[in-house]
Amino acid sequence: MANIRFILICMLFLFAGFTLAQTRTVGLLETSNDVTPGYVLFSPIFSKETFLIDNCGFLVNKWENTLLPGQTSFLTKEGLLLRTARIPGSLTGGGVGGRMQLLDWDGNVTWMYDIANDSMHQHHMALPLDDGTIMAIVWKKYSREAAINKGFIPSTVPPSGIVSDMVIHFMPMGADSIRILWQWDFWDHTIQDQNPSAMDYGTISDHPELLDVNFREDPGANNAEWIHLNSLDFDPVNNLVLVSSKFHNEIYIIDRSTTTEEARGHTGGTYGKGGDFIYRWGNPRSYGKGTRDHHWLYGQHDVQFIDPGMPGAGNILLFNNGSNRTDSLYAVVEEIVPVRNSDGSFSLSAEGRYLPELPVWSYPDRPDKSFYSSRISGVQRLANGNTLICEGNKGLFREVDDNGEILWLYKNPVNNFGPAQQGAFPPNPDVFTIRRYEPGFSGFNGLILDAGEPLENGSEPGYCVILNKATETTKPGIWLQPNPASEFINVKSTEIADFKYSITDMTGKPLLSGTLFGESRIDISSLPQGCFIVTLRLNESGKISKFAFLKL
């Protein structure tokens, strides 16, 4: 019955001109054949559920919880969901978490661990690594006395003291324990030039490997929070940790080859600097090597190394939110390429600033005030070179190619009131970040990824077909016959030319491909019943034509 219903829907749109009667405001807004195949994972900030959807916006899986998210959710290579959750504690601020959980496909908790006490509290991110370990960002509290002894200007230190940030690398153990493998704390890598009798006194500009405790440019409402780390990533090839400070508008790279003891100091590890920064970028004024003209990052989020095997592997990708810009408020997704010396260390300019001077790629390629999120947001480089973007405040997801063309557009329809009605403009659609997983992702092994209904209520049937940019059934000089078809489709052209063809389902999953010589036909007998997209590329000119067709 489901197949008959789907075929009738396909026929309706193939012969009725591919139009929608309703104005879509949530869920899938735009798609194309060039969207990267896969499934998108996200946790709306105001919902207790985590969703996995396909490229049509159909629900593939849902994990329910009793707690709101502590921002991030990731799938592990073993198919578990690593989710952070908000729980109360003595420390609080933007991105508060405290609980980390691993859940199986059915939502059963297989491991849980809390870091939420009087002196420490996990926040923002818990990142699963390929070896089964986890890295997490954690607040750590220091007393007012310790902060003043450290060289903080006393008037800036509240009675409650200062909250620093640290990274903990650990192995989950059993159902509710961890084994700590490595720790690193900003507190151990500081400098100050205000109090000669206090710790870490020195000349700021002589020590770009250290953080000035009195440099604060973009403080939040909680003046005890000094740094506000909001993202964390790991480069397994070079054994590097990458973190991002919203309040300092900077990113930092740390050497993970150190031991915990070396990470507290200034020597040891591959780079010989212990836990000191081996690279920083975004705001060289923070170490006395620039002016506002050199200030590039503004409240950035989801800073990450591009994964091995991806275009731009090893480069740094980030969402530059643009909060507190002095000209106008706009966001930019940027890719930067740190410059290395022959010995592998990171290069500085003649003026002492870490390179590069400018990003190598940006989206949009010029300021656009309509693209803006004052907080949260995320990015991901995909295998075909496209980039997945989460405009966090709006809950708006898009995939763009390297020319900036939007190939896929989706609006989160779920908030604290549940799924929205199609056509509505629901409040609180915020999403911290998103991730797309390819169909061949190891975590999907053994699972049946059946697509259900869209998350939103009231969407017209067949909308994914209609919204696809390739739903024409004829092109000038090229015909596809018959349509619908059961065994073969014939390709006819006014040009005597060879074509390469590929056929995908409506989510973009590749199914068939080959080469046609002049007028020819494609055997579609192996396809199941349903709607599909065929792409024809003219070998000589590279011209592309796309068609939707129905397999009976």
Side-chain angles (χ1 to χ4, degrees), residues 49 93 129 131 206 214 279 289 296 407 428 463:
E49 297 171 318
L129 305 185
D131 62 0
D206 290 344
N214 294 307
Y279 180 80
K289 290 295 185 179
W296 198 266
L407 307 175
N428 305 329
Y463 66 85

Side-chain angles (χ1 to χ4, degrees), residues 74-91:
F74 297 98
L75 292 176
T76 72
K77 293 185 70 175
E78 296 73 33
L80 299 174
L81 176 73
L82 174 60
R83 182 183 188 270
T84 58
R86 296 179 223 178
I87 59 174
S90 297
L91 309 180

Side-chain angles (χ1 to χ4, degrees), residues 126-201:
L127 179 72
L129 305 185
D130 288 348
D131 62 0
T133 63
I134 295 172
M135 282 189 178
I137 301 173
V138 177
W139 284 314
K140 186 174 181 180
K141 181 179 178 180
Y142 290 89
S143 69
R144 173 178 166 81
E145 179 183 11
I148 293 173
N149 289 338
K150 191 75 169 166
F152 283 80
I153 298 172
S155 61
T156 67
V157 183
S160 60
I162 288 291
V163 176
S164 183
D165 271 302
M166 61 187 304
V167 175
I168 297 180
H169 184 195
F170 61 87
M171 174 66 77
M173 303 293 290
D176 56 4
S177 300
I178 66 172
R179 177 167 58 89
I180 295 177
L181 306 173
W182 183 80
Q183 297 183 77
W184 178 90
D185 191 339
F186 267 98
W187 192 263
D188 300 321
H189 306 282
T190 63
I191 191 169
Q192 55 89 20
D193 60 0
Q194 298 295 306
N195 186 352
S197 63
M199 298 171 61
D200 303 331
Y201 181 76

Side-chain angles (χ1 to χ4, degrees), residues 8-20 460-463 465-466 471 473:
L8 291 174
I9 291 170
C10 289
M11 293 181 66
L12 171 66
F13 296 125
L14 281 167
F15 298 114
F18 298 99
T19 59
L20 281 170
E460 285 187 27
Y463 66 85
V465 179
I466 303 168
T471 52
T473 56

Side-chain angles (χ1 to χ4, degrees), residues 113-124:
Y113 190 78
D114 294 347
I115 302 178
N117 52 50
D118 290 343
S119 61
M120 300 172 70
H121 201 116
Q122 182 274 330
H123 66 99
H124 279 91

Side-chain angles (χ1 to χ4, degrees), residues 19-38:
T19 59
L20 281 170
Q22 65 185 179
T23 299
R24 294 184 64 82
T25 59
V26 293
L28 186 68
L29 303 179
E30 186 176 322
T31 189
S32 74
N33 284 357
D34 297 316
V35 64
T36 306

Side-chain angles (χ1 to χ4, degrees), residues 270-334:
T270 300
Y271 296 85
K273 290 190 173 184
D276 290 345
F277 310 142
I278 58 174
Y279 180 80
R280 64 197 298 181
W281 196 83
N283 191 9
R285 291 192 308 120
S286 67
Y287 53 98
K289 290 295 185 179
T291 68
R292 284 198 176 274
D293 291 337
H294 304 106
H295 181 172
W296 198 266
L297 297 181
Y298 295 87
Q300 72 286 341
H301 282 77
D302 206 11
V303 179
Q304 61 195 258
F305 294 113
I306 296 177
D307 288 340
M310 301 294 172
N315 296 347
I316 294 173
L317 190 68
L318 57 88
F319 191 102
N320 191 358
N321 293 68
S323 54
N324 296 313
R325 288 189 193 272
T326 56
D327 50 356
S328 61
L329 299 179
Y330 59 91
V332 187
V333 174
E334 292 170 327

